[in-house]
Amino acid sequence: MKKETWGFIDSGFSSPSYNMALDEMLLNWHSEGLIPPTIRFYGWNPATLSIGYFQKAEKEINLERVNELGLGFVRRATGGRAVLHEHELTYSVIVSEEHPDMPKNVTEAYRVISEGILKGFLNLGLDAYFAVPNTDEDKEALKSPRSSVCFDAPSWYELVVEGRKVAGSAQTRQKGVILQHGSILLDIEDEKLFSLFNFPNERVKERMLKGFKEKAVAMNDLTNRKFELDEAKKAFKDGFETGLGINLEALTLTPEQVEAVNELAKTKYESNEWNYMR
């Protein structure tokens, strides 16, 4: 049986506003039938704290510290909690809700898309598996997360190695299209990460940080060897092809498309109205 061909974009390192605008425009173009289902890899320049659509920026985030460290800051169109995008491979998947291989159920769609990420970890020799909360306590914890930090606990079908979360994803559905994007951690600076959030006091912060270290891990903390970004890109590109049963073919944006992305980045994702709206 002939495999379906999806688009593939490696957009390299871009500003936070451009990254979020490109994901949104890919969703729009796919909804209009202008591009095929698409997988994108990207990085962040500068390193950036992104927050989920529903988070309260000024209440939850130490914005002074974000500025002090020279980090970018942006609100995502997807839900979930805050992520520091620094030493990671970021991916996004854009595919129609009506795609025959995509379950209607959000959780099950996560599982199908994340199969590509799972295969990527296996390609790198890491014994990854899906997190499936199975106790009532675990399920309850998903409804009311303890902190603003994304990697604080695994959600349904996110990837864990040795019991700790190693990739985090978020999803939105708009205009009949699924956009799922997420972070695959190469390294993590947890002290730096936790300095970006507001806590009632230092004791609570230390307790949360200790819990975080027990629940999240980066790829380079799992083995004696160091994974390089290019190696990770190849492993996860192959992983998506295998996991989703597709071929990936380079998709190049036209100058007009790049201009549209830049315009959206400027008018929406660089605006205080969007980033601090809650």
Side-chain angles (χ1 to χ4, degrees):
M1 189 173 152
K2 194 170 182 290
K3 289 183 178 179
E4 185 182 5
T5 297
W6 288 28
F8 176 73
I9 298 174
D10 180 351
S11 54
F13 288 82
S14 303
S15 70
S17 58
Y18 186 89
N19 277 336
M20 294 299 89
L22 180 49
D23 274 358
E24 182 173 331
M25 290 308 297
L26 290 172
L27 182 152
N28 290 343
W29 294 326
H30 186 50
S31 78
E32 294 162 13
L34 299 174
I35 60 169
T38 298
I39 288 173
R40 174 184 167 224
F41 288 169
Y42 55 104
W44 304 73
N45 185 20
T48 294
L49 187 75
S50 80
I51 61 170
Y53 181 79
F54 298 102
Q55 286 190 281
K56 296 176 170 62
E58 282 155 334
K59 181 184 176 190
E60 298 181 36
I61 309 300
N62 183 342
L63 296 167
E64 196 177 314
R65 180 67 174 156
V66 171
N67 293 330
E68 196 180 291
L69 292 173
L71 300 173
F73 179 77
V74 72
R75 182 182 296 277
R76 303 187 304 271
T78 52
R81 289 168 281 164
V83 183
L84 176 57
H85 304 281
E86 191 165 19
H87 314 293
E88 69 174 46
L89 172 61
T90 318
Y91 79 90
S92 58
V93 176
I94 291 90
V95 60
S96 169
E97 288 184 273
E98 300 305 318
H99 191 283
D101 293 337
M102 283 299 135
K104 294 287 181 276
N105 178 290
V106 173
T107 304
E108 290 306 313
Y110 250 112
R111 183 192 58 76
V112 170
I113 292 171
S114 297
E115 193 71 42
I117 308 167
L118 175 63
K119 291 289 193 293
F121 282 120
L122 298 178
N123 287 342
L124 291 168
L126 294 174
D127 189 14
Y129 54 93
F130 286 127
V132 183
N134 46 23
T135 68
D136 289 341
E137 189 184 348
D138 286 344
K139 289 173 185 172
E140 212 47 48
L142 292 182
K143 295 178 193 168
S144 49
R146 294 185 312 148
S147 81
S148 305
V149 190
C150 174
F151 283 80
D152 188 44
S155 304
W156 283 93
Y157 297 125
E158 287 190 314
L159 277 298
V160 295
V161 176
E162 296 175 5
R164 290 190 287 171
K165 183 170 171 176
V166 73
S169 303
Q171 194 183 106
T172 185
R173 293 171 178 234
Q174 298 172 26
K175 303 178 181 178
V177 175
I178 299 167
L179 163 63
Q180 180 172 314
H181 51 198
S183 303
I184 299 163
L185 298 181
L186 297 177
D187 287 293
I188 188 166
E189 296 180 51
D190 31 39
E191 303 272 351
K192 179 180 183 178
L193 172 64
F194 269 70
S195 75
L196 305 176
F197 300 95
N198 294 324
F199 295 95
N201 55 55
E202 201 60 30
R203 193 166 49 83
V204 170
K205 178 181 171 182
E206 287 305 316
R207 191 176 75 238
M208 300 295 269
L209 177 57
K210 182 175 180 291
F212 177 82
K213 288 179 177 180
E214 292 167 359
K215 290 175 182 172
V217 68
M219 284 162 52
N220 285 335
D221 293 327
L222 287 164
T223 66
N224 294 325
R225 52 163 300 193
K226 187 174 172 64
F227 294 104
E228 299 296 336
L229 183 59
D230 285 345
E231 180 185 12
K233 283 181 180 180
K234 182 181 185 319
F236 286 98
K237 185 181 179 190
D238 292 347
F240 274 116
E241 288 189 313
T242 309
L244 298 181
I246 57 175
N247 289 319
L248 288 174
E249 196 173 273
L251 181 66
T252 305
L253 301 184
T254 66
E256 292 76 20
Q257 286 174 323
V258 172
E259 195 178 321
V261 175
N262 283 323
E263 180 63 21
L264 182 63
K266 188 177 173 185
T267 56
K268 179 174 180 178
Y269 290 102
E270 288 174 19
S271 75
N272 288 344
E273 188 182 0
W274 169 261
N275 288 322
Y276 303 102
M277 67 181 180
R278 291 178 179 276

